[in-house]
Amino acid sequence: MNIHILTLFPEMFEGILQSSILKKAQEKNAVTINTINFRDFATNKHKTVDDYPYGGGNGMVLKPEPIFYAVESIPNYEKARIIMMTPQGIPYTQKKAEELKKEEHLIFLCGHYEGFDERIREHLVTDELSIGDYVLTGGELAAMVVVDSVVRLLPGVLGNQESAETDSFSSGLLEYPQYTRPEEFRTWKVPEVLLSGHHQKIEEWRKKESIKRTLQRRPDLIQAHQFDAKDQALIKTIKRELNHEN
Ligand code: 6GU
C-alpha cells in the first residue's frame, strides 16, 4: 500500500510514523507513507493557502489551488482514494478500515482550524471521514488514527503475538478480561477458571465475560451482532444475573 498525507504540519507525523508497528510496517515494505506540505504548492510569493470566506463570516477557508496541485503532483493519484478528514465526515469504523485495507493507494487531506473550499469536496475528494463526535484542531490526529488502524490490517504487519483476529470489533464484541502473573497481587486473585487448564471452561468464561462487558458498556454493539441460539440463551442468562446484581 502507498499512503500520502497532505498537511501544513508534516512534523506532527514524525514521531508516530517512526515508532512501533507503523515503523516496522514501512521497514517491511508493507506500506510506504509520505507527507506532503501543500503550502509548497501555493501560487503566490507569500505561500498563501487560505483566504476569507465569500459571503463573510468567521474563520478562514483553505483555497482550492494548493490542494489540487499537491494531489495532482502524486503519481497515479487518479486511482487513489482521496480522503478528506473533517468532523462532517461519515463516522469511521472498523468496517471502513477493512474496506480501505484493500486499496493500493490512499491520499489523506488534513485541514487545520479551517474549512475546505467546497470545490475540493465536490471535484477531488472520494471520501470524507470523521473519527468521532468531538472537534479536533485539525485533521492530522484523525488521519493518524485511520492510517494506524488500516496499516495494522495489512498482510505481514502484525505477528501472531499482536494478531488482528481476536481483538475487539473484529469479533463485534469487546475483549474479555486478561490476567498474567502473579496469581495473587494485594489479595486480588486471578479467576480460578483461568488456572484450571480446562480449555473448554476457559473459552466459555471468556465468551461470557466478553458479552457481559459489551452489554454493560456498548449495548449498541449487541444490537448489531448476529448471535447463534446458544449465545442468545447465554445473553438471557447474563442479563438475568446482571439484574440480580443491581
Ligand atoms: Cl476527521 N477532523 C477534525 N478536525 N475534528 C474531528 C475529526 C476530524 N473527527 C472528529 N473530530
Side-chain angles (χ1 to χ4, degrees), residues 6-7 14 25 28 44 83 103 145-146 172 185 228 231 239:
L6 272 66
T7 172
E14 282 167 20
K28 291 178 186 167
N44 67 354
I83 304 167
E103 298 286 338
V145 166
V146 176
F185 173 65
D228 61 23
D231 285 348
K239 280 186 174 168

Side-chain angles (χ1 to χ4, degrees), residues 11-176:
E11 68 279 7
M12 286 181 73
F13 293 85
E14 282 167 20
I16 284 182
L17 296 182
Q18 290 314 319
S19 312
S20 186
I21 307 282
L22 289 181
K23 179 183 184 176
K24 286 198 194 120
Q26 294 171 90
E27 287 169 355
K28 291 178 186 167
N29 295 320
V31 63
T32 62
I33 308 177
N34 290 290
T35 56
I36 296 176
N37 189 337
F38 58 86
R39 193 179 294 285
D40 296 341
F41 293 83
T43 51
N44 67 354
K45 65 170 186 287
H46 302 293
K47 298 280 168 202
T48 308
V49 293
D50 57 6
D51 206 338
Y52 298 99
Y54 276 120
N58 288 322
M60 301 290 275
V61 178
L62 289 165
K63 294 164 64 61
E65 304 94 315
I67 291 177
F68 272 84
Y69 298 160
V71 168
E72 288 162 3
S73 78
I74 301 168
N76 298 312
Y77 77 91
E78 301 95 330
K79 295 198 196 102
R81 292 280 280 266
I82 304 178
I83 304 167
M84 178 184 265
M85 301 306 302
T86 81
Q88 291 85 47
I90 71 161
Y92 184 63
T93 59
Q94 189 65 28
K95 189 168 169 229
K96 182 62 73 175
E98 299 281 352
E99 179 191 322
L100 293 178
K101 81 170 182 202
K102 297 172 192 151
E103 298 286 338
E104 266 179 46
H105 193 180
L106 304 177
I107 300 173
F108 291 90
L109 310 184
C110 308
H112 217 82
Y113 337 110
E114 299 132 319
F116 291 87
D117 184 288
E118 190 66 17
R119 289 165 291 190
I120 300 167
R121 215 175 244 114
E122 286 179 346
H123 302 294
L124 188 62
V125 158
T126 63
D127 300 79
E128 186 172 351
L129 297 178
S130 162
I131 64 161
D133 292 338
Y134 40 82
V135 180
L136 303 170
T137 55
E140 284 81 5
L141 286 166
M144 288 184 223
V145 166
V146 176
V147 167
D148 183 281
S149 57
V150 170
V151 169
R152 69 185 284 285
L153 299 176
L154 297 177
V157 169
L158 293 188
N160 255 344
Q161 279 299 313
E162 309 120 335
S163 175
E165 289 306 316
T166 59
D167 41 42
S168 294
F169 296 105
S170 55
S171 73
L173 295 173
L174 301 185
E175 271 179 69
Y176 49 77

